[in-house]
Amino acid sequence: MLSSTDQAFRRDIARPSRIALGAMAPLAACAAIFLLLRPYYGLEHDAVIYMGRGLADLDPQGVGRDIMFRYDGQSKFSVFSRLVDLLIPALGLAAAAKALALTGCALWFAALAALASRLARGAALFALLLLAAAFDSSYGGFGVFHFAEPFATPRPFAEAFVLGALAALLAERRWIAIVFLLAAAAFHPIIAAPGFLVALLYEGMRDRRILIAALVAGAGALVAALAGAPLLERLTTRIDPQWAAIISLRSDYIFLSDWPASTWIAMLRQASTLLLAATLSPPPARRLLFCVIGAVGLGLSASFLLGDVLMRELAAQAQAWRALWLAAAFAPLALGLAAPALWRDGLQGRIALTLLVTSWILRAAPESAFLALVAALVWWSRARWRHIPLGSLERALFALCGLCAVIVFGAALWFAREYVRVAPSEDSVLSAVLRTGEPLYVPALFVGLAIAVDIWRPRLRHALFVATVAAPLAAFCWSLDPSPLGRPLDRQAELEALMAEHPGEALWVNEKLAPWVWLGRANWASPVQGSGIVFARELALVWRERTGLLRDLGWVADSALKPRTGDVIDFPPFTRGALERLCGRSDAPAWVIGATKAPEAPGLDAHFWRGPLRYSPHVFREAPEWVPIEHYAIFDCAAYRR
């Protein structure tokens, strides 16, 4: 029997001339919101790694000599690097990065729509899509990673293929699911692994022979590891204490024992939501949700036992805890599936739903996750409370939920106003506000839930209006190129001429892209080089020693070694003694470059170059500010060798 929402929805598209529009308009509206709430990041985060790998492949004697690429232990496992190598010459660096990011997000939404269509129909389907678009996408230690990341990385591609595979499993198209899982593994094996595990559990619950075969295959892999098989032998190799200390310092999300309490509490919210939905959903969805929970649990257990406790190299590199991306991606779907059943169940169900929704509204407060646990406990023990009048409690919780929503929404609007007030440029304000302030999260959450529980009836004109407004805004956000270097992203002839006397590495202090993009040279040391230290011990040792030296010289802050600690140093305090100490090394760079407030370096021999104006953001200070940077001092290391 159709709900009133579905009946209203079908009336809107009853006439044949409106069928196509009625089917596409809500989908287009959800897609526009999905992209609007994921504005393009530009060449930031891990896009620097993957696009830099492409620059290194295309220029092996220049960028390719960077220690990050000489000791690269991960790119060979992904076809994404080959795509980057093809697209950079064809489109240019900036356009290639944007094309890959947009394609990844588009594939992700298409896969999400396919999966959601197997879980819900009619207006409920669009409620699931809206919730998934608006929900917090972070997962793992410190919330470093996100699903459907809007920048050039293979992870959204792998995630999309996994979601497509799970949709195929629900449709009982197993060969399509296998093909999608293999495609996911080709892009990112670590992200694909939990998808394989979910599929294995899903099919194994129907045919135990599949689980037995998987156990036999696992035993065979263990024997191969003990026999010294390539790659698998890393499972028997222990990470030495020196390497482990560097990993914990720079990549503190690798080992679960380094994770903060807030990460575990956020996982509690997701787990409570998934368990509630699993108990309330029909059999196919219930089985899938329980398999997701099982895969996440197995991934976390394997990471802790083999990585944190036994310190096995392959376990640390495989990062089985990344199965959490599935928990993060399924959490909004789970809320959308659980909400109608809870709402219809009476007082106990509505109380549980209100507690759960309040928990998600207050997601920034770690303690709020306990509300989700209480919601689950209230539902599972509801039989004990049937005889107790709970009307007053229901109204009080409704009021509390509304108050929390108003406070969170008001805080987001205040942040947006403050950001607009102090931001140095109007170009990317909308993108930055949507990305960091998330002002649309609470409205989208309530609209999605209102549709899911059938208290609001969306009409075709509503979908058309949302699509008409959101699509241009999303297109505007994706039209921007928020590069950390500003513009342009190509070689700088004047700068190259100043440094033409000596080839070799350049140390560009506190920069990730500049030596690669503007000079075509390797960077002697930079924070981004530490991103791959878990895959290469040699890289870890070299990076730690060089970055430690720069910190001792006072040129970089502690945050260069350990993220999320302290601020950055925009203008390194260059001195003759510090330059002589660096340039006297046997592995010293040919040049040292750093930003200066003005084109002057008293008492030092230096060239000066004025680059494109850019801003260094310091948004987490008491008074947020953007420091303008455009002047650079260039020191020839040959002049500072004793």
Side-chain angles (χ1 to χ4, degrees), residues 258-394:
D258 292 331
W259 289 7
S262 59
T263 297
W264 296 100
I265 295 175
M267 288 163 50
L268 176 63
R269 180 190 298 111
Q270 293 174 348
S272 300
T273 306
L274 289 168
L275 285 169
L276 261 178
T279 58
L280 293 166
S281 299
R286 180 188 307 130
R287 180 152 50 110
L288 179 60
L289 290 173
F290 275 124
C291 289
V292 169
I293 296 169
V296 172
L298 289 172
L300 289 171
S301 300
S303 285
F304 181 74
L305 293 175
L306 297 177
D308 291 56
V309 177
L310 298 178
M311 281 290 172
R312 300 305 172 185
E313 180 180 341
L314 184 59
Q317 294 170 345
Q319 302 170 47
W321 55 264
R322 290 216 203 183
L324 285 168
W325 82 261
L326 279 172
F330 269 84
L333 302 180
L335 180 61
L337 292 172
L342 291 173
W343 187 261
R344 292 192 298 264
D345 187 65
L347 284 176
Q348 287 86 353
R350 290 195 292 273
I351 287 173
L353 178 60
T354 305
L355 289 169
L356 188 61
V357 172
T358 306
S359 174
W360 282 105
I361 291 173
L362 298 176
R363 69 196 192 285
E367 299 79 6
S368 66
F370 289 108
L371 292 174
L373 179 60
V374 172
L377 294 175
V378 166
W379 168 254
W380 291 327
S381 61
R382 62 191 182 281
R384 300 182 180 181
W385 311 99
R386 291 289 186 187
H387 62 284
I388 299 178
L390 299 173
S392 298
L393 178 60
E394 179 191 23

Side-chain angles (χ1 to χ4, degrees), residues 438-457:
E438 299 182 330
L440 297 183
Y441 170 70
V442 170
L445 174 64
F446 275 100
V447 170
L449 288 172
I451 297 173
V453 301
D454 197 22
I455 62 175
W456 182 61
R457 303 177 180 181

Side-chain angles (χ1 to χ4, degrees), residues 76 115 150 243 366 381 472 489 547 575:
K76 61 184 177 182
L115 177 61
W243 188 10
S381 61
L489 289 179
T547 306
T575 63

Side-chain angles (χ1 to χ4, degrees), residues 561-583:
L561 281 170
K562 184 175 180 60
R564 294 172 293 279
T565 56
D567 212 338
V568 298
I569 297 175
D570 294 313
F571 305 108
F574 294 113
T575 63
R576 181 169 294 276
L579 287 167
E580 288 177 349
R581 180 179 173 185
L582 171 66
C583 296

